[in-house]
Amino acid sequence: SLSQRVTGEERRLGDGSIESTTQIETIDPANPSGGLRISEIVTEISKPLGNGKVSVERTIKTRDTNGNLTLSQKVAQSVESGK
């Protein structure tokens, strides 16, 4: 049986941004027979700013001790797209 599954999707938003979501599912150690459950969701939004610059915002949600998905990290940066 699978011990981990990673799925990803990418969609283009109306303002030209690209939102990519990666979902990581793992076995819950407290309930191994319960199958896979989402343990982490990483969302990255890339927004073109013009002049070859792109703004990237990455949000990471992980499960807390109560099993709820909560925001664990948010990083925003501006990068040169190199084109």
Side-chain angles (χ1 to χ4, degrees):
S1 64
L2 284 172
S3 62
Q4 181 177 334
R5 179 168 56 201
V6 178
T7 50
E9 65 169 358
E10 196 174 270
R11 59 192 189 116
R12 192 172 288 277
L13 306 179
D15 62 357
S17 301
I18 293 172
E19 179 187 77
S20 85
T21 305
T22 304
Q23 202 166 273
I24 297 145
E25 295 169 84
T26 53
I27 300 278
D28 179 4
N31 180 20
S33 61
L36 293 173
R37 66 166 193 171
I38 297 168
S39 60
E40 194 175 312
I41 299 174
V42 181
T43 305
E44 202 170 85
I45 297 176
S46 308
K47 185 183 221 167
L49 300 174
N51 296 333
K53 285 190 170 53
V54 178
S55 138
V56 179
E57 186 181 283
R58 181 186 290 121
T59 308
I60 300 173
K61 287 183 179 175
T62 51
R63 282 199 190 272
D64 62 15
T65 48
N66 299 318
N68 300 311
L69 280 168
T70 56
L71 184 64
S72 69
Q73 196 184 349
K74 187 170 186 169
V75 183
Q77 57 189 35
S78 172
V79 294
E80 298 278 344
S81 69
K83 285 181 180 163

